[in-house]
Amino acid sequence: MHIVVCVKAVPGSTEVKMDPVTHTIMRDGRESVINPFDAAALEVALRLKDELAAQGAPCRVSVLSMGIPATEALLRDCIARGADDALLLSDRAFAGADTLATSYALSRGMAKLGTPDLILCGKMAVDGDTAQIGPELAGLFDLPCVTDVRAVASVDGAAALVSHATDAGIETVTVPLPAVLTVAKDIAQPRMPSIAGVLAAADAPVTVQSAADVAADPARSGLAGSPTQVVRSFVPERSDTCVMLEGSVAEQAARIIKVAEEAGL
């Protein structure tokens, strides 16, 4: 079985800088971490790999990302935790991509890794909260997709039995493979890399591919391939003032209503 996990480097600090021209996040890689939802997806893949290995079934876990060259260090961390190989898409042509252009680029990179039986993504990225990459990949590959997966009961060569959150509650479904799953952050606690894993990852090859290497269409890449763009970004003004309410319960309720009306709520 071949499992591909899509991971994203996100700011490790709340002090995020925005490009004043493109209105996209400025990424220098110095304080980046693996998106927590994607780290959980990697742990799910590694647990499946362990389970299949115990059954004598080989399983390969590949990690795929798009980002600046410094993202390679995070991919090596994924290998240290147990992934078999990693591919990084890094090119100025990919800069400023929205989720549609990102999904397209990842689909081109996926072709270099080989046909996966299962694609795992985090439910969303903490720096964007769009939750669109997984479903968009499923659309590009015409694969079934289950979102917000909270548990993976079993996976074999033909199907996966998973439980996921819906508006009506938790639903358990069987999805045929190949498929795309997006997972919740609390589905699994990511393991720490072992010393042997860290040493192996230091020498492990991380393939870095440009837009030309994966034959990406320039019209579908980066800002040029992004139909959604941020036209303005700002830090909302915050106030720590408060209004003290006194009087009877009825008087306080009336005051709350008045305060809300004055605030335009």
Side-chain angles (χ1 to χ4, degrees):
M1 176 171 287
H2 184 202
I3 303 174
V4 174
V5 183
C6 298
V7 304
K8 181 182 183 182
V10 298
S13 168
T14 56
E15 298 296 325
V16 177
K17 296 180 180 180
M18 303 295 291
D19 188 306
V21 177
T22 63
H23 300 289
T24 56
I25 295 176
M26 296 175 65
R27 304 179 188 274
D28 58 16
R30 287 177 294 180
E31 296 184 0
S32 293
V33 297
I34 299 173
N35 176 44
F37 287 84
D38 299 338
L42 174 61
E43 178 60 27
V44 170
L46 296 178
R47 291 185 184 185
L48 289 173
K49 177 183 176 180
D50 292 342
E51 292 174 7
L52 290 170
Q55 300 169 15
C59 178
R60 171 188 165 205
V61 175
S62 300
V63 180
L64 173 63
S65 185
M66 183 182 83
I68 61 176
T71 306
E72 180 178 334
L74 298 181
L75 297 186
R76 290 192 183 279
D77 179 73
C78 293
I79 294 175
R81 294 170 191 268
D84 296 287
D85 51 77
L87 188 152
L88 172 63
L89 300 172
S90 188
D91 194 315
R92 295 287 301 178
F94 294 134
D98 68 356
T99 59
L100 188 65
T102 298
S103 298
Y104 169 71
L106 292 175
S107 72
R108 300 306 303 170
M110 204 85 66
K112 291 289 184 176
L113 289 171
T115 304
D117 299 290
L118 185 62
I119 300 173
L120 292 176
C121 305
K123 173 187 172 183
M124 63 186 188
V126 295
D127 63 347
D129 292 2
T130 61
Q132 294 173 346
I133 295 296
E136 286 178 348
L137 281 173
L140 286 168
F141 289 118
D142 194 23
L143 296 176
C145 179
V146 182
T147 60
D148 202 2
V149 173
R150 304 302 178 89
V152 178
S154 64
V155 173
D156 57 31
L161 180 63
V162 302
S163 297
H164 73 122
T166 71
D167 291 341
I170 301 298
E171 178 183 41
T172 299
V173 298
T174 298
V175 56
L177 300 184
V180 179
L181 304 180
T182 74
V183 305
K185 186 172 65 174
D186 57 357
I187 189 173
Q189 179 65 38
R191 67 189 66 185
M192 296 298 293
S194 64
I195 295 176
V198 172
L199 294 174
D203 297 324
V206 173
T207 304
V208 180
Q209 300 271 271
S210 67
D213 291 333
V214 297
D217 182 352
R220 299 182 65 181
S221 305
L223 280 174
S226 301
T228 56
Q229 297 181 13
V230 178
V231 296
R232 186 171 74 97
S233 60
F234 62 94
V235 177
E237 295 182 2
R238 295 183 178 182
S239 173
D240 57 2
T241 59
C242 64
V243 176
M244 298 299 295
L245 302 180
E246 299 179 352
S248 65
V249 173
E251 291 172 335
Q252 292 182 33
R255 180 58 176 150
I256 289 175
I257 294 173
K258 184 176 181 180
V259 171
E261 290 176 343
E262 292 174 349
L265 301 177

